[in-house]
Amino acid sequence: MKTFDELGVAPEILKAIQEMGYEKPMPVQEEVIPFLLGEMNEVIALAQTGTGKTAAYGIPVIQCIDIRKNQPQALILCPTRELCLQIAGDLQDYSKYVDGLKVLPVYGGSSIESQINSLKRGVHIIVATPGRLIDLIGRNTVRMNEVGNVILDEADEMLNMGFSESIDEILAEVPSTRNMLLFSATMPAEIAKITKKYMKQPREIVIGNKNESNENVKHQFYTVQAKDKYLALKRIADYYPSIYGIIFCRTRKETQEIADHLIEDGYSADSLHGELSQAQRDNVMQKFRIKNIQLLVATDVAARGLDVDDLTHVIHYGLPDETESYNHRSGRTGRAGKTGTSIAIVHIKEKGKIRQIEKGISKKFEERTIPNGNAICEKQLIAWVDKLEKVKVEEEQITEFLPSVFRKLEWLEKDDLLKRLVSLEFNRLMAYYRNAPEIKAPDAYSSEGRREAGRDGREGREGRDRGPRRTSPGFTRMFINIGKVDGIYPNTLIEVINQNVRGRVGLGKIDLLQNFSFFEVESSVADKVINSMNKAEFLGRRVSVEIAQEKQGDDRGERGGSDRGERSGSERSGRFGRRPETQDDYASVRKSNFAKRKEGDRNRGSRTNDRGSFGTRKTTERKKRY
Ligand code: AMP
């Protein structure tokens, strides 16, 4: 392996990076630096985050700047403000001893005037997010005729974020003789298109296989029933007492909900997503960086700019659709020579996706079972004992208090003392987990597994529970006039109930149907729920809740139709000229639909569907963490 010196890095840059603790080049640097220092050739570098990409292009770009020309000579485009600031900061560090070199970060959400003033004074390297740069170009405040190098960093993410046209506009402003360097964690087809369009004969440098995962990352998955997903997350967090990680969710709403629940349950957590203001996001990221927060619940885009090297875990609360995104997420751990674990909490129907990711990253996942209460208590205890062993004893500070402590405890043997210390720390945790049931993976062949897998009607069709639905003892089954066409999920329904009914509401099974739904509530609060919910509105429509009619269980007409994806005319356009609002309205729609479908079924071979319920008993109140 060569040294930075041998790669041709100039002494003033060498001095700065040595001060930063860069002793030897990382593989991507060893490949890219000498190549770019040569003739400033064009490069496509595929390397994971955390592999030292910024220095790989930053060092040669700095070295090729002619300080005497007070003009932008290099342009670095990146997707987010955070990354922009991070890159500019790194370049400033590398060029600490390069006299007069000016690097300007240009990004949205900060004063454009001060950026214009800096541009007027003259800069050598611009690091920009595409939107703000276009704004500056539109105001004629940035000249790019001397730009010799354009770097697209995290090019895949810029495309994901819809910056493709902006990149075209920007590239039209720089001389056609410029070099282009493209750095990307992944190589989706769109990137290949860009390289064809804008690059002449780029050298492709691949660190590891394309999309191959970082060697330092272990990949694991847990299969759980949908209703247990959050519980499983808590157990995983409890099983790793020193966890410092990001929990990725698919939507902003889910991100906020999971973070809220974790906070409510006593975890050191917060959320990061696009609905927060920039100031809020900065605040959360700072708290996470300094480890005031152990768990950051985030969307992919919002977590982009976060630069943290020592994450122990990345948790996928929802798997992303693309292998590239999975790889990008999991590449946030196991960085800078450290090891990390990427954990996916999946539903049985996502196992196929796991296999697909395994192929993409050329690595096997380990399937794990959710730790039980005992295992968690033991893990926490050992971690605590470890801390006890390693705690720094501040002799001077405690000496004066010790005599009275010894006097008070002198009657206790060492064993007794330890037992008391452990009890003090762990009684609540142990009580919490004492009777906690195991969280089992749904067996694909059990009725639970089939019901779980069949929720979206794509899998597990055979052998479903066809018996009439029975109301759980102690519960009353309610009808509500909102259903899947209104875009509700079980969580949404729980939310609507929470928002409108005061106090604790014990909920049982929830059955979401196309136009309406059923849910069970503890019989003691049934009247209260009806009274409160009937004053409520959902998406501007009056909510109607009533006790479900006994015969309502047999709603095969509704289900059969929706499962085949062929909603009847009345469902699509409103057979009554309005949406039916009561069970009787629905009953007559169903009756006529059922008659039609029976006819259809006879032709097709009868197939009715009961997708079963969503989860077992839930309560809208949550327990505090032990
Ligand atoms: P990057 O992929 O550019 O985000 O870099 C990931 C991390 O590795 C950053 O914290 C860098 O400061 C660090 N780093 C980059 N190059 C080296 C090197 N040669 N030796 C040690 N650390 C490095």
Side-chain angles (χ1 to χ4, degrees):
M1 176 178 281
K2 290 190 172 170
T3 61
F4 278 114
D5 192 16
E6 286 163 346
L7 296 180
V9 176
E12 59 274 24
I13 300 178
L14 210 52
K15 186 171 173 205
I17 59 175
Q18 273 163 358
E19 281 181 13
M20 292 169 74
Y22 293 13
E23 284 166 12
K24 33 187 204 316
M26 291 169 97
V28 67
Q29 295 159 359
E30 207 176 352
E31 290 268 356
V32 173
I33 292 174
F35 187 70
L36 293 187
L37 283 178
E39 297 261 301
M40 280 316 283
N41 303 292
E42 294 202 315
V43 163
I44 303 169
L46 289 167
Q48 291 302 302
T49 38
T51 49
K53 290 190 292 179
T54 319
Y57 67 74
I59 291 172
V61 160
I62 291 170
Q63 208 160 311
C64 292
I65 296 289
D66 180 351
I67 306 283
R68 289 161 306 176
K69 279 192 206 161
N70 206 15
Q71 291 278 335
Q73 292 159 53
L75 170 65
I76 300 165
L77 292 175
C78 62
T80 61
R81 167 189 190 270
E82 289 78 15
L83 189 60
C84 176
L85 284 166
Q86 187 192 318
I87 296 169
D90 284 354
L91 296 193
Q92 272 148 2
D93 290 342
Y94 306 148
S95 59
K96 188 173 162 193
Y97 298 109
V98 180
D99 263 356
L101 187 124
K102 283 178 261 168
V103 181
L104 179 69
V106 157
Y107 51 90
S110 71
S111 154
I112 197 162
E113 274 71 35
S114 75
Q115 290 170 0
I116 292 173
N117 288 337
S118 302
L119 284 167
K120 276 188 191 152
R121 286 195 294 272
V123 299
H124 299 106
I125 303 177
I126 297 176
V127 188
T129 53
R132 175 54 63 95
L133 186 60
I134 294 224
D135 201 345
L136 289 166
I137 291 171
R139 293 172 189 228
N140 267 335
T141 50
V142 55
R143 287 177 58 202
M144 299 218 271
N145 51 327
E146 290 288 337
V147 169
N149 290 303
V150 177
I151 294 107
L152 305 186
D153 196 356
E154 299 214 351
D156 49 351
E157 193 51 27
M158 281 199 278
L159 296 185
N160 279 346
M161 291 170 76
F163 284 136
S164 172
E165 277 179 23
S166 306
I167 291 172
D168 283 344
E169 261 182 71
I170 292 165
L171 291 180
E173 295 292 316
V174 294
S176 56
T177 49
R178 60 24 224 156
N179 285 310
M180 197 158 118
L181 321 175
L182 187 145
F183 285 74
S184 183
T186 60
M187 188 64 177
E190 294 79 14
I191 296 281
K193 261 191 239 157
I194 284 213
T195 59
K196 255 204 197 125
K197 189 164 161 194
Y198 290 111
M199 298 172 90
K200 293 150 221 153
Q201 279 187 315
R203 164 145 178 225
E204 194 173 313
I205 292 173
V206 180
I207 300 299
N209 290 334
K210 287 180 195 178
N211 293 332
E212 188 181 86
S213 137
N214 178 342
E215 272 308 306
N216 295 336
V217 181
K218 272 191 290 187
H219 300 266
Q220 302 175 339
F221 75 97
Y222 296 85
T223 316
V224 295
Q225 294 168 28
K227 71 178 170 62
D228 290 332
K229 225 167 146 186
Y230 176 69
L231 278 183
L233 173 67
K234 288 210 302 178
R235 291 220 181 161
I236 292 166
D238 286 343
Y239 190 67
Y240 297 104
S242 318
I243 190 168
Y244 176 49
I246 303 182
I247 300 165
F248 283 98
C249 294
R250 289 171 63 104
T251 63
R252 293 170 183 188
K253 186 168 174 285
E254 187 179 53
T255 304
Q256 190 60 53
E257 277 171 6
I258 298 302
D260 286 349
H261 291 164
L262 286 171
I263 295 164
E264 219 175 288
D265 287 343
Y267 291 81
S268 157
D270 214 332
S271 62
L272 185 69
H273 55 74
E275 257 161 43
L276 303 176
S277 68
Q278 188 61 52
Q280 285 172 317
R281 271 185 283 169
D282 287 347
N283 184 27
V284 172
M285 283 196 264
Q286 183 54 11
K287 281 198 284 179
F288 188 59
R289 272 191 207 106
I290 60 171
K291 300 196 177 164
N292 260 3
I293 302 168
Q294 260 184 295
L295 296 169
L296 184 70
V297 192
T299 54
D300 293 75
V301 172
R304 273 281 158 167
L306 191 63
D307 154 45
V308 180
D309 283 341
D310 46 358
L311 293 185
T312 59
H313 290 78
V314 161
I315 299 182
H316 311 263
Y317 194 75
L319 273 178
D321 293 328
E322 307 288 334
T323 302
E324 281 87 1
S325 307
Y326 173 85
N327 212 14
H328 214 279
R329 285 177 177 187
S330 58
R332 300 200 140 264
T333 183
R335 296 176 76 166
K338 302 198 174 81
T339 55
T341 310
S342 170
I343 293 178
I345 305 175
V346 301
H347 187 263
I348 194 165
K349 69 186 178 207
E350 288 177 300
K351 273 192 162 178
K353 232 183 198 178
I354 292 280
R355 303 289 163 240
Q356 179 195 321
I357 294 172
E358 279 182 335
K359 270 196 207 141
I361 64 172
S362 316
K363 275 243 183 126
K364 278 260 166 246
F365 275 76
E366 178 195 353
E367 179 160 20
R368 312 249 307 178
T369 44
I370 296 290
N372 62 22
N374 260 352
I376 290 170
C377 291
E378 191 181 342
K379 258 300 199 75
Q380 293 261 357
L381 196 63
I382 299 290
W384 178 80
V385 170
D386 207 43
K387 264 205 235 160
L388 189 73
E389 275 185 315
K390 290 185 184 144
V391 68
K392 187 165 182 282
V393 177
E394 304 281 359
E395 293 280 356
E396 275 186 23
Q397 284 181 38
I398 57 169
T399 306
E400 64 173 304
F401 307 108
L402 285 180
S404 46
V405 175
F406 288 147
R407 211 173 310 122
K408 191 145 176 32
L409 297 178
E410 66 190 352
W411 61 279
L412 282 173
E413 296 290 322
K414 180 182 161 197
D415 283 9
D416 261 337
L417 191 64
L418 277 178
K419 279 184 206 159
R420 273 158 208 264
L421 275 175
V422 168
S423 303
L424 197 65
E425 189 73 22
F426 288 98
N427 273 359
R428 284 206 301 165
L429 173 79
M430 290 187 282
Y432 177 81
Y433 275 121
R434 183 170 303 130
N435 297 319
E438 283 202 16
I439 300 180
K440 290 206 186 101
D443 172 356
Y445 298 98
S446 73
S447 63
E448 185 62 27
R450 281 194 297 274
R451 209 162 52 219
E452 282 283 316
R455 265 186 203 166
D456 67 354
R458 272 176 295 189
E459 288 175 54
R461 280 179 174 275
E462 308 94 88
R464 265 185 214 108
D465 166 17
R466 290 173 189 214
R469 233 178 282 82
R470 272 196 201 95
T471 306
S472 315
F475 280 74
T476 302
R477 189 169 160 80
M478 298 286 184
F479 161 93
I480 183 165
N481 65 333
I482 51 180
K484 288 184 203 167
V485 287
D486 302 294
I488 62 158
Y489 294 94
N491 277 357
T492 337
L493 185 58
I494 295 172
E495 227 169 72
V496 177
I497 297 168
N498 265 332
Q499 278 163 3
N500 292 290
V501 187
R502 297 182 67 153
R504 182 188 175 284
V505 181
L507 287 181
K509 290 180 214 151
I510 296 174
D511 285 335
L512 298 183
L513 305 179
Q514 207 59 28
N515 283 330
F516 56 89
S517 306
F518 297 97
F519 61 95
E520 293 178 349
V521 293
E522 280 171 353
S523 300
S524 56
V525 292
D527 286 344
K528 182 168 87 170
V529 169
I530 293 173
N531 288 337
S532 313
M533 292 292 286
N534 282 328
K535 292 181 197 130
E537 286 201 345
F538 181 75
L539 298 178
R541 205 157 63 82
R542 191 66 183 262
V543 170
S544 164
V545 171
E546 46 191 280
I547 291 177
Q549 289 163 11
E550 269 308 304
K551 276 281 176 191
Q552 208 67 46
D554 186 11
D555 52 14
R556 287 177 295 169
E558 170 90 11
R559 285 166 178 243
S562 60
D563 278 346
R564 284 193 299 271
E566 42 176 85
R567 299 205 337 251
S568 71
S570 64
E571 282 169 299
R572 279 195 301 271
S573 59
R575 180 184 160 95
F576 297 118
R578 67 181 172 89
R579 230 184 106 126
E581 291 300 335
T582 67
Q583 291 183 84
D584 291 329
D585 286 351
Y586 283 116
S588 41
V589 177
R590 248 192 341 270
K591 230 171 161 182
S592 94
N593 289 342
F594 185 44
K596 279 186 209 154
R597 285 181 189 129
K598 246 176 128 178
E599 187 56 39
D601 280 343
R602 233 174 269 134
N603 301 334
R604 268 185 293 269
S606 182
R607 189 178 64 184
T608 56
N609 266 321
D610 184 338
R611 293 185 193 168
S613 65
F614 279 97
T616 50
R617 199 124 309 126
K618 289 186 188 77
T619 164
T620 57
E621 277 190 348
R622 283 170 202 283
K623 279 196 206 97
K624 285 276 168 236
R625 193 185 186 190
Y626 27 91

